Amino acid sequence: MSLTSEPVNGLTTSTAFSEMKTVRSIGELHAVLKELNDNNVRIGFVPTMGALHSGHATLIRTSAAENTLTVVSIFVNPTQFNVQSDFDKYPRTLDEDLSIAELNGANIVLVPTADEMYPKDFRTFIEPGGTADPMEGQCRPGHFRGVATIVVKLLNIVSPDVAYFGKKDFQQLAVIKETVNQLNMKVEITGVDTVREKDGLALSSRNVRLSDGAREQAPVIYRALQRVRQRFLDGERNRSSLEDIAREELATSPLCQVEYATICDASTLQISEVVSDTSVLCIAAWFDDVRLIDNIELQAFTGER
Ligand code: AMP
């Protein structure tokens, strides 16, 4: 197995292997990585739960453009689901996922088994810091404990230079940054802008479960995010007033049941009465039995695709 490298913009990009490798155990992954035997390899890593869509594809393409080797993992992590039926209903489309990963530049896809990730009697969990407390932390107790645990395990297994996460899961990105920082891990964490449908709905593996009616109404979330951002840019700085605007917009959809519409600081995720340039509005809402989340940074130009 050889790694063909050519320097581009000071980075060595690669065609890595002639074809993508799918590995199903940690030992196999380590054997493949060892065979490369090249210290100049810069590894980019994209952890996913599969059911890949254009959002995941963008993460993979970003990694492929910035690194010599891109590793993608596909693992539906049982410890981050606080409701068993949500785990059971999670879409699983491995064959299609492997094609999408390959088409977008993945070199290795790790598909570990649950037994290997969580051997019997496993109990070494990561308890994340304060970023995990509000919003998702309140609505989905234990969710971020499962996320932080699996992400740290995967980062230890893959040992990437950089790992890519979507801003679509804004709080998750903040929790991972805080976890990696507090555990003194060397990996760089990069956030990638949210990829949306034409009507603004953020791509999500859960969207396929929306009924036709719910799918039609779900873009109300993006309209609410944009309306609040506009009011912020127009000068409004009162948190409750801005959150009320979000709720008012969401209420225009009869199917939408709001779980939260909260403005907080983009790094700490703590809530303060005064909204600032570093604030982010996060929304979680149900459409029938499908729960969607989305967010918008109020000041930053995100250049979202
Ligand atoms: P998941 O498979 O849902 O765990 O997501 C894997 C990664 O893809 C996470 O870092 C997500 O934040 C990211 N992701 C999911 N949806 C999108 C999207 N619409 N745009 C960009 N990234 C996304």
Side-chain angles (χ1 to χ4, degrees), residues 18-283:
S18 48
E19 58 188 45
M20 189 181 81
K21 302 240 166 236
T22 304
V23 295
R24 290 170 192 275
S25 73
I26 298 165
E28 212 185 324
L29 174 75
H30 287 161
V32 170
L33 291 177
K34 196 166 172 210
E35 229 182 295
L36 287 172
N37 199 20
D38 183 338
N39 289 334
N40 293 321
V41 174
R42 182 176 154 87
I43 300 178
F45 176 45
V46 181
T48 81
M49 296 206 299
L52 301 187
H53 50 61
S54 303
H56 302 108
T58 301
L59 265 61
I60 298 169
R61 279 200 306 278
T62 306
S63 172
E66 295 179 355
N67 300 284
T68 335
L69 189 88
T70 291
V71 181
V72 173
S73 64
I74 296 177
F75 181 65
V76 185
N77 175 34
T79 64
Q80 71 187 71
F81 288 84
N82 51 331
V83 176
Q84 178 66 32
S85 62
D86 195 22
F87 173 73
D88 295 339
K89 280 190 271 180
Y90 203 83
R92 288 156 171 94
T93 56
L94 185 60
D95 290 345
E96 220 178 304
D97 292 347
L98 294 176
S99 322
I100 294 173
E102 180 154 36
L103 272 173
N104 287 282
N107 303 111
I108 301 174
V109 180
L110 169 66
V111 191
T113 62
D115 285 349
E116 194 169 24
M117 294 311 290
Y118 294 109
K120 205 169 152 282
D121 301 332
F122 177 90
R123 59 179 221 192
T124 311
F125 282 91
I126 302 288
E127 201 60 65
T131 52
D133 292 345
M135 302 187 294
E136 294 297 288
Q138 301 235 307
C139 299
R140 304 180 68 188
H143 169 65
F144 283 129
R145 180 179 192 249
V147 169
T149 301
I150 194 69
V151 169
V152 167
K153 282 167 74 68
L154 289 168
L155 291 172
N156 284 337
I157 290 164
V158 177
S159 290
D161 296 279
V162 50
Y164 297 84
F165 294 86
K167 288 190 182 178
K168 142 89 166 48
D169 301 287
F170 198 90
Q171 189 174 8
Q172 170 174 279
L173 174 61
V175 168
I176 289 161
K177 282 184 175 163
E178 187 182 38
T179 302
V180 158
N181 188 26
Q182 292 198 349
L183 294 178
N184 311 100
M185 296 170 75
K186 228 176 111 196
V187 63
E188 197 181 300
I189 302 297
T190 297
V192 177
D193 287 333
T194 302
V195 180
R196 300 178 180 283
E197 301 283 6
K198 279 202 177 67
D199 58 13
L201 177 65
L203 295 189
S204 162
S205 308
R206 292 191 162 88
N207 292 354
V208 294
R209 290 182 38 230
L210 292 168
S211 66
D212 290 349
R215 172 64 190 84
E216 209 168 289
Q217 292 183 25
V220 74
I221 298 180
Y222 191 54
R223 288 199 296 279
L225 294 172
Q226 284 188 307
R227 234 183 99 186
V228 170
R229 180 163 190 258
Q230 193 52 55
R231 279 295 279 274
F232 172 82
L233 295 175
D234 291 345
E236 180 63 77
R237 291 293 182 272
N238 182 278
R239 183 171 65 87
S240 330
S241 310
L242 289 166
E243 288 176 356
D244 285 349
I245 293 165
R247 286 174 187 282
E248 196 184 287
E249 185 63 39
L250 293 165
T252 64
S253 157
L255 285 177
C256 177
Q257 303 264 358
V258 186
E259 195 157 348
Y260 61 75
T262 303
I263 299 178
C264 59
D265 180 78
S267 310
T268 63
L269 295 208
Q270 300 312 301
I271 293 157
S272 78
E273 268 325 301
V274 182
V275 175
S276 78
D277 287 0
T278 61
S279 297
V280 58
L281 165 62
C282 299
I283 291 177

